[in-house]
Amino acid sequence: MTGYGRGESVHDGLKFSAELNSVNRKQSDVVVTLPRELTELEMRVREVVNAEVSRGRLNVVIAWQRSGSAVQKPMLDTELARIYFRSLLELQKELGASGEVSIETVLRVPGVVRLPEEQLVVEEIWPHVEAALKGALGDLIRMREREGKHLAKDLIKRLKVVRGSLRKIRQLQPGIAKRYRQALHDRIERAGLEISLDDERLVKEVIFFAEKSDVSEELTRLESHFAQFAHHLRRNEPVGRTLEFITQEIFRELNTLGAKANDAAISQRVVACKAELEKIREQVQNLE
């Protein structure tokens, strides 16, 4: 599922920010980007994210900066400046070069003027990084929940279509044996044989076919799977993998039903069910 979230936290003149974005993916894949000073926090960041999100590719970017009121004062290495200044004067004298060695020249030398190195104590700043991260996660989850509700409505609509086709299959089921008997009798007539519909051999063949093509168990299991699907879809927790498993079971039962029924009218309904179910499976893979 897709989503975006951003969170911030300020502590002791430092501002920490977290940005998250997610895209559809069947499994969980978390990519964490941290500044050099915070690299040891990667496992903690992953743990916080994985506790809330179980599916999708997530990009997590953690950053920090000093707030506007906490401007760093530059440091001047006066000893290094003296060394460079004397060295430049000696070089100028040795080369007989004209011009003036100014303070601007010395200040431009690398290392003479620098910002103080940041010393971030990870244990002290982690609660504030975590606060920013959880703020971003809250935004992300709310966006994903809105998308999830939209997907749920679409899935319910498609599920109704499949169940409607299943009801028509149930209506067609009692006539399977009758249609088979008539088709068998027609073939016998075309072969030039004279056998009545009440012939014992024909009756036995039809009874055997009726028992073999009885799909009442498959229809009952399918209704159970549909009820479970609808139940889990209403739950306020990650259900994507559960629904994916139920969808696979529905596919399996439909395949068995179509093969057992051996009836053209029912086969057409099964194909229609599977076409709609394939769309359901694609959507379910995007659910948390």
Side-chain angles (χ1 to χ4, degrees), residues 33-168:
T33 302
L34 290 162
R36 179 178 54 82
E37 302 86 357
L38 304 179
T39 51
E40 62 183 281
L41 293 178
E42 181 174 348
M43 288 306 299
R44 299 191 194 187
V45 170
R46 288 184 179 276
E47 289 174 0
V48 171
V49 173
N50 287 328
E52 299 292 338
V53 180
S54 59
R55 222 172 197 188
R57 176 184 172 86
L58 276 84
N59 292 306
V60 184
V61 179
I62 305 292
W64 72 276
Q65 64 183 39
R66 289 195 169 273
S67 59
S69 59
V71 179
Q72 289 181 287
K73 294 181 180 180
M75 296 178 63
L76 177 63
D77 191 334
T78 54
E79 183 60 28
L80 183 62
R82 290 192 186 96
I83 292 172
Y84 272 115
F85 184 67
R86 287 195 294 268
S87 297
L88 289 172
L89 288 176
E90 290 174 2
L91 181 62
Q92 183 183 41
K93 183 177 180 181
E94 180 182 340
L95 298 176
S98 60
E100 181 181 357
V101 179
S102 65
I103 187 65
E104 288 81 3
T105 304
V106 176
L107 292 176
R108 283 197 293 268
V109 174
V112 174
V113 180
R114 68 182 188 277
L115 294 175
E117 293 185 2
E118 297 291 347
Q119 296 295 327
L120 298 179
V121 181
V122 170
E123 294 301 327
E124 291 181 2
I125 66 170
W126 166 242
H128 311 288
V129 173
E130 185 180 23
L133 180 60
K134 287 188 174 180
L137 272 169
D139 285 350
L140 177 83
I141 290 170
R142 283 189 289 274
M143 183 177 291
R144 285 163 66 102
E145 284 176 347
R146 288 194 293 270
E147 182 184 355
K149 290 177 181 178
H150 177 75
L151 286 177
K153 290 179 181 178
D154 181 71
L155 288 171
I156 290 172
K157 186 189 302 182
R158 296 186 184 281
L159 194 63
K160 286 180 178 178
V161 173
V162 178
R163 297 183 85 164
S165 294
L166 197 66
R167 282 193 296 271
K168 293 176 181 176

Side-chain angles (χ1 to χ4, degrees), residues 194-236:
E194 294 184 2
I195 299 178
S196 70
L197 289 175
D198 297 328
D199 186 277
E200 183 180 352
R201 291 167 296 175
L202 183 61
V203 171
K204 286 183 178 180
E205 174 65 24
V206 171
I207 292 173
F208 175 75
F209 176 82
E211 291 176 350
K212 188 175 68 171
S213 62
D214 182 14
V215 294
S216 55
E217 289 185 14
E218 285 74 20
L219 288 170
T220 299
R221 282 195 291 268
L222 281 168
E223 284 294 349
S224 175
H225 291 331
F226 289 140
Q228 289 182 52
F229 190 100
H231 168 71
H232 285 288
L233 195 58
R234 290 191 294 268
R235 298 180 68 176
N236 189 27

